[in-house]
Amino acid sequence: MSTSTLLVAHSIPPPTLTRLAREWLAEDTPNFDPAGVCVGSEEVEARLLCKTPHTILAGSPFFTAVFTEVGCTVDWIYQEGAEIGADDVTLTAVVRGPARCLLLGERPALNCLARASGIASRCSQLREIAKTSGWHGEVAGTRKTTPGFRLVEKYAMLVGGVSMHRQDLSAMVMLKDNHVWASGSITEAVKAARLVCGFSSKIEVECCSVEEGREAAAAGADVVMLDNFQPQELHIAACALKNEFPTLLIEASGGVTPENIALYFSSHVDIISLGCITQGCPIADFSLKVQNSSANSTSSQVEVSSSPSPLHTVCLEAIRKSFSMAKPNSSQFLPWQQPKLDAA
């Protein structure tokens, strides 16, 4: 488990978890849930299975928030940040609640867990490489995240034990090549940025040569990113800049992968950032299996009466009619908020 994992989970405000869970559920089920008629509201139990050995579990707060929103409970067997065992299939948690509600939350919850755990597992791998090599610096992510899903992916980086880097454009100033070209020079770009951000934000400048790095440092940049340098070139440039500007932070980025990151380690390099932490990162394979409600039932995972009740017949007919008409107003109750029907 990475350090302070429990505190990492506490960094997400509960209202944020609730808001995200509602957005994901509404995206997946904006109106009717026809399949909910098939299973009804019988209380069921589902087992969360991890099918990727040695996965670092990440995203459990989001998973739990989704199921809480639909009236289900989650009992975790593994804690956030733990490494799930070497078995091909490992029982990770148990979810309980009304069948139709549990199935409403299934896909949004699994999406969060699979993505976050995949990222955390890659981050843990990178952190272990750095630790084994004795490197003193920080492995970091980037802003190359999935639109609308950044909070989950940045959180997963923390669980995996690496730095998030800046969370967004407001968190730190990074002047890239386009900023410099539009401003006229590195010096002018740094000067203009400092007038706005003041003392409370660091300024980082993307540089393609030692000369650009010197100009950025002399202009007052706090961090110089040496972009797309080959490892040997990086070490020479970083050493030269550190000798001239001892307090300058040096970041290496561009072309770094889990396979070659060790080549970039240097006592003069403080940060190594990798876009592959989020882009092209494999997910962890999780599935949710509803258990048979009867030991004698083998035809389905949820026992359903072979003769539909009158209420089910009425609901099915109503759904058929609704889908032959215009799309219903999206301001209606969401499926998990529908008032209960009285069978009498």
Side-chain angles (χ1 to χ4, degrees), residues 177-245:
D177 51 4
N178 287 328
H179 295 97
V180 172
W181 294 335
S183 300
S185 70
I186 289 175
T187 300
E188 289 301 316
V190 172
K191 181 179 178 181
R194 184 61 72 189
L195 288 174
V196 178
C197 71
F199 68 89
S200 62
S201 295
K202 284 186 170 67
I203 295 177
E204 179 169 7
V205 180
E206 180 184 271
C207 299
C208 296
S209 67
V210 175
E211 291 71 28
E212 289 185 354
R214 287 194 181 101
E215 182 181 354
D222 304 286
V223 187
V224 163
M225 174 195 286
L226 298 177
D227 191 38
N228 288 314
F229 279 61
Q230 292 300 310
Q232 191 59 37
E233 296 172 345
L234 169 74
H235 301 322
I236 295 171
C239 180
L241 290 171
K242 280 287 192 177
N243 286 336
E244 292 183 52
F245 306 94

Side-chain angles (χ1 to χ4, degrees), residues 119-135:
I119 291 170
S121 298
R122 171 160 286 184
C123 291
S124 179
Q125 173 196 6
L126 293 166
R127 179 173 57 87
E128 190 59 32
I129 294 172
K131 180 180 178 182
T132 301
S133 300
W135 182 57

Side-chain angles (χ1 to χ4, degrees), residues 150-166:
R150 178 173 294 173
L151 189 147
V152 177
E153 294 176 352
K154 289 286 191 178
Y155 167 82
M157 295 178 197
L158 292 179
V159 175
V162 308
S163 170
M164 295 187 295
H165 211 293
R166 57 175 180 165

Side-chain angles (χ1 to χ4, degrees), residues 8 61 78 103 125 158 175 194 200 258 285-286 293 309 323:
V8 170
Y78 285 84
L103 296 177
Q125 173 196 6
L158 292 179
L175 302 174
R194 184 61 72 189
S200 62
D285 188 5
F286 286 93
S293 58
S309 68
F323 280 96

Side-chain angles (χ1 to χ4, degrees), residues 27-228:
E27 176 188 52
D28 204 39
T29 316
N31 294 296
F32 286 110
D33 172 33
V37 175
C38 305
V39 296
S41 295
E42 175 188 357
E43 288 290 318
V44 295
E45 176 181 297
R47 296 180 180 179
L48 175 66
L49 306 176
C50 178
K51 296 183 285 186
T52 304
H54 303 295
T55 290
I56 301 299
L57 179 63
S60 62
F62 306 101
F63 186 95
T64 300
V66 169
F67 280 112
T68 298
E69 188 62 24
V70 293
C72 299
T73 61
V74 182
D75 292 320
W76 289 96
I77 296 170
Y78 285 84
Q79 298 300 311
E80 186 81 336
E83 180 179 333
I84 298 175
D87 294 339
D88 290 338
V89 179
T90 303
L91 178 61
T92 307
V94 177
V95 184
R96 298 179 179 88
R100 70 185 184 91
C101 296
L102 190 149
L103 296 177
L104 281 171
E106 177 185 15
R107 178 45 52 198
L110 287 175
N111 286 349
C112 292
L113 202 65
R115 181 72 173 144
S117 296
I119 291 170
S121 298
R122 171 160 286 184
C123 291
S124 179
Q125 173 196 6
L126 293 166
R127 179 173 57 87
E128 190 59 32
I129 294 172
K131 180 180 178 182
T132 301
S133 300
W135 182 57
H136 73 284
E138 290 193 49
V139 178
T142 68
R143 279 173 48 244
K144 296 176 182 177
T145 55
T146 307
F149 214 56
R150 178 173 294 173
L151 189 147
V152 177
E153 294 176 352
K154 289 286 191 178
Y155 167 82
M157 295 178 197
L158 292 179
V159 175
V162 308
S163 170
M164 295 187 295
H165 211 293
R166 57 175 180 165
Q167 297 181 45
D168 48 51
L169 291 176
S170 301
M172 183 179 77
V173 179
M174 181 183 288
L175 302 174
K176 302 176 76 68
D177 51 4
N178 287 328
H179 295 97
V180 172
W181 294 335
S183 300
S185 70
I186 289 175
T187 300
E188 289 301 316
V190 172
K191 181 179 178 181
R194 184 61 72 189
L195 288 174
V196 178
C197 71
F199 68 89
S200 62
S201 295
K202 284 186 170 67
I203 295 177
E204 179 169 7
V205 180
E206 180 184 271
C207 299
C208 296
S209 67
V210 175
E211 291 71 28
E212 289 185 354
R214 287 194 181 101
E215 182 181 354
D222 304 286
V223 187
V224 163
M225 174 195 286
L226 298 177
D227 191 38
N228 288 314

